[in-house]
Structures are given as C-alpha cells and as structure tokens.
Amino acid sequence: MKTEYPRGWHALFNAALNGELTEVDSERLAALLQSSSEARQLWFLYHDNEAGLAELPSPAELIPQGTAEAKASSRWFQWRPLAAAAAGLVIGLFSATVLASYAMSSQEKTVTLLRGGFRIRTRAFGHRRAPASRASRSGDYTAVVGEQTPQGVKPASGRRMLHFLRADYEGKAQPEGSYFSDVYRLIDLRPYRATYGDGGAVVQLSGSFNAFHFPESERYGCSMSLYALDAATATNGSTRHGAELRESLAMARNSRVMLDRDPKTWQRSNVELRLPPNTDFLLVHISVDHANRDQRRVTFDGHYLDDVRLTLGRRPLLR
Amino acid sequence: MPNAFSPDTPPPALSPAQQELFVRELNAAHALLLRYAMSLVGNRHDGEDVLQRASVIMWRRFGEFEPGTDFVAWATTVVFYEARNFQRVAGHCRLKFDDDLMKTLAAERAQHVRQWPARVTALQACVEKLEPMQRNLVEEIYTRGVEAAELARQEGRAVQTIYNKLNFIRRALAECVQRSLTETHL
C-alpha cells in the first residue's frame, strides 16, 4: 500500500465523515471503492483513525517522547510517551478536566481536579501496574465503553464508562492468581502547594461502580485509595512494585462497597485524605475485586466505573 | 453467511454461563466491530447506531453461536446485515453502496480490521506530531465530542472552516499512519 493518494480520494472520504456528501459525491465514492482496492484500504484506514481519535487520550496531554520530564511540573496530568507502548488502544486514565474553581475565602476554596460524566480513561491493552514516574499512569486491562444495552448497564453520566476487563496487565509475569482489577493515576500536586502546604487541605475522591447481573453466589468488592507521596517515591519506580502503601506519607482507603446485582443502580464510593505538607504527588488507585475466594479468577465480565471526581479543598486542622 | 437477522426474533433463554460469555466476547470485540461498522456506513455516528442495533440482535441470537468458534467472524456477519438494512432504509444513510460493493467491503474489511491495534499505536505517535492548534481541534471534536457546527459558532467561524481544518488533519494522519505501518511492514 502506498502512502500518497489522489487528493480527490481524501476529499471524498472527508466529505463522507463530515456528512457532506452530495448525490454526485456519493455515486463517485461508490464507484471509486468498487473499482480500487487501494481506495478501499485508505477508506478503512480513515475509519480506523476516526474511531481511534475518539479513544486516544486528550491530544493536548500527549507529550513528545523525551520531553515529559521537562513539562511535568507545568501540568496537572501528564502522559507517558506512548509510541513505544504495546499495540492496543491506548488512552489515558483520567481526563484533563481541571476546573480551577477558586473562589470565596482562602478557608473555603476548592479545586476540582477531576470531574466528568465519564472522564476516567485507560488503555484497553497492556501496560504495567502502578505508575512509576510523575508522567505516567497505569493499571490493568480495561476499556472505555458506551451503554451496554443487552446487559442493562447505562453510564452513570455522559455516554461512556470504564469497563474493568482483567486483573492483569500486558507483560505481567504470573497473571494466574490475580483477582483485583486496578487502575491508577499519578497527579502532580506541587503547583498547588500553597493550598495544602500548611496541612490544612483534604483531597476527596468519589466514583460510581456498577455491574451487570451476576450469580448470587459471587461477590465483588470496590476499593478507592489515595496515597500522598513525596517526589522521590513517586519517581524512583518503587510504586511500580507495589510499595506505595509502605512508602507513602499518608494514605486512605475505602473498600466497604460491595456491588449489588442490579445493573440499573450505581453504587457510590468516597474516600478522603488530608495531605501532609511535604506531599508532592497524589496516587489515585481504584479497583474491583473478586471477593469470594472460590470465585477468584483473572477476568471480569461486566464491572464498570463512572463519574469519578477528585477535589482538593481547604479544611483547616483543629487547634 | 446466515440469513438476515431480525430484531423481532424472540429473545433466547440464555444460561448464566452463556450470558457471561456473550458479555465477555462482545466487550472484547467492541472496538473492532465499531470500526467494521463505520467502514460500511461511512461515519462514526451511524456506525455506533448500527453496532447498537446489531448488539441487540447478537444477544437474541447468541444461542446459535457455538462456543470456541470465531466470535468476531460471527459478529461481523450480524453487523454486516444490520449495516445493509441501515443503508436500505430511506434517509438513514447518504452512501449509495449497492450489495456488490457492500460484500466487497465486508469481505476485505473483515480481515483488515483485525490489525486495528497496530494502527492505533501508529495513530497515537502521529497525533503527537500535529501542531498544538491541530491537537486542540482534535481534542474538541473527538475527545470532548463537540459538534463542528457548535465549535464554529463558539469561535465565530464558518463551519466549513472547521471542516477544512479537520480534513487537513485527517489526511495528514492517514498518510502518517500509513508511512508508519509501511516502515514496520504491518
């Protein structure tokens, strides 16, 4: 397949994608695709790209390889260069929706770090476990999906939700025995140190979980965790090996939510963490797990997450 | 290929294991099937519509699927018939693809689409090469889902201006991805 094509082919394909085909254009398009194998290949590629663009992370967040470190301090959410990533749908864990809604007095101001109908996104294919540097996010196999009609699961808000697929990630040495499906996000809080540097700020994480109808004998737990990390811990790779609990400055977890068997209901979970003054990064960890020992397996069939919100707000210490 | 699938087929009494298998298979194939549908109806919106209808039909007909056989092959057949029905309903589709062309596209696409993950990886690298203004437009249209007409209104521009920019970006990305795949012999 060649890499350059007649301009008219591109014009026709774009007109189709834009919904601008005239009657004549439509006939020309059909004739072209009928007669040219190369045109058909390019037509397919256009549609692959069209679908892929809607699945990729926010393009504004993509960082050219080699420049991630230099830019990391200037952005809330950073993405690892993905060119070297394993094949697969690669989109980011959390959206770039940052609503800096400072207002009111300094005692009350709040920053919404994450919010959206479904503004959490992840790769559908492979990557390692916890993020290892300030420019990364990671987790197990997941996918972003729309409404799941046959199963009766609709997004809690918006049109998309996260589907937990497996309890392992590409390249995991021994996936057997895994039964937690995890997603992570590492967030650089240093630009907001003035908000929490006196120990007077709290981050709050909330999200909604759901599952399609599953056997009565099975139980599924949901967990949301927050870890406050210093820069050294966040960037030395130790979190990649699961050391976030041991090496964090502070952590909080809510693992009390168990999924019900009604796909029409979303179950909300919340957790909050007071940030130590020397916090540099916040690690967000959300998971679903097989709660019964005898049901444990690496796959998850219909378990979803939506409407994730993360806010940073002032709540002064009691004196 | 089986006969045309009808949404009026009575729903089956699937066992819990069948239900679980269906959900697993459909979710795993969703991205592939969307791409397949899009190339038969010409745009993402119609492709999602077709896939949604086809998913319901798959659910109703899943009792006929033999576990262990190729789910993607079975599912693309369902999507094909649904896309053809979609084309035939007046006003549903602007494309004028006759049966011969639909079959040609479906046959070639069924194999081609299975390599979509490699094209996504190449696409991501190509998006990174876009100019910041172009990436912003991609984000508005594709990530945030803003309609071109609405974006034009917000920016006080003609919608054709937005389309022209999008067209340029799509062409650049198509050529970039193709170059990348050629270099890696995919």
Side-chain angles (χ1 to χ4, degrees), chain B residues 24 36 77 115 117 130 152 163 171:
Chain B
R24 189 185 307 143
Y36 179 83
T77 302
Q115 279 78 49
L130 293 175
Y163 282 144
R171 177 176 178 170

Side-chain angles (χ1 to χ4, degrees), chain B residues 90-102:
Chain B
H92 264 182
C93 191
R94 295 184 184 216
L95 302 184
K96 296 187 179 301
F97 292 176
D98 60 23
D99 273 3
D100 281 349
L101 177 53
M102 287 288 283

Side-chain angles (χ1 to χ4, degrees), chain A residues 86 91 99 129 143 201 205 226-227:
Chain A
I91 49 184
L99 306 176
R129 192 166 181 265
L205 172 68
L226 294 168
Y227 300 89

Side-chain angles (χ1 to χ4, degrees), chain A residues 93-159:
Chain A
L93 180 56
F94 290 120
S95 83
T97 303
V98 179
L99 306 176
S101 52
Y102 277 101
M104 302 176 286
S105 73
S106 61
Q107 296 295 301
E108 298 171 316
K109 64 188 178 184
T110 297
V111 182
T112 300
L113 306 179
L114 301 165
R115 197 175 87 182
F118 181 71
R119 304 303 296 176
I120 194 169
R121 288 175 269 146
T122 189
R123 297 177 178 189
F125 292 86
H127 41 135
R128 60 176 183 269
R129 192 166 181 265
S133 78
R134 58 186 168 183
S136 65
R137 81 283 177 260
S138 194
D140 292 323
Y141 287 101
T142 55
V144 176
V145 298
E147 178 180 343
Q148 304 294 291
T149 303
Q151 303 92 309
V153 180
K154 296 179 179 179
S157 62
R159 294 189 303 168

Side-chain angles (χ1 to χ4, degrees), chain A residues 182-212:
Chain A
D182 306 293
V183 291
Y184 294 90
R185 178 65 196 183
L186 187 62
I187 299 170
D188 186 351
L189 290 182
R190 290 172 298 183
Y192 292 79
R193 191 183 291 279
T195 304
Y196 63 84
D198 62 352
V202 170
V203 285
Q204 295 180 310
L205 172 68
S206 62
S208 295
F209 295 87
N210 200 355
F212 74 92

Side-chain angles (χ1 to χ4, degrees), chain B residues 30-141:
Chain B
H30 182 271
L32 180 153
L33 294 175
L34 176 61
R35 287 160 169 77
Y36 179 83
M38 286 171 65
S39 59
L40 295 179
V41 294
N43 63 71
R44 183 185 178 93
H45 183 268
D46 289 348
E48 288 178 338
D49 201 356
V50 164
L51 181 54
Q52 185 74 5
R53 295 159 186 243
S55 298
V56 174
I57 295 169
M58 284 181 230
W59 171 251
R60 292 172 180 269
R61 303 285 297 258
F62 193 63
E64 300 170 9
F65 175 72
E66 295 179 24
T69 61
D70 188 344
F71 177 81
V72 167
W74 182 79
T76 50
T77 302
V78 179
V79 173
F80 170 78
Y81 280 110
E82 194 53 36
R84 198 170 66 169
N85 289 340
F86 187 86
Q87 290 247 18
R88 285 174 173 170
V89 176
H92 264 182
C93 191
R94 295 184 184 216
L95 302 184
K96 296 187 179 301
F97 292 176
D98 60 23
D99 273 3
D100 281 349
L101 177 53
M102 287 288 283
K103 288 176 183 173
T104 300
L105 289 172
E108 290 185 12
R109 183 58 157 161
Q111 296 307 313
H112 177 277
V113 74
R114 292 179 189 251
Q115 279 78 49
W116 69 267
R119 290 189 284 274
V120 168
T121 302
L123 175 64
Q124 176 125 17
C126 291
V127 169
E128 292 177 7
K129 295 175 184 173
L130 293 175
E131 297 295 324
M133 293 290 285
Q134 294 173 324
R135 288 205 296 268
N136 288 342
L137 180 58
V138 168
E139 176 163 14
E140 291 294 326
I141 298 292

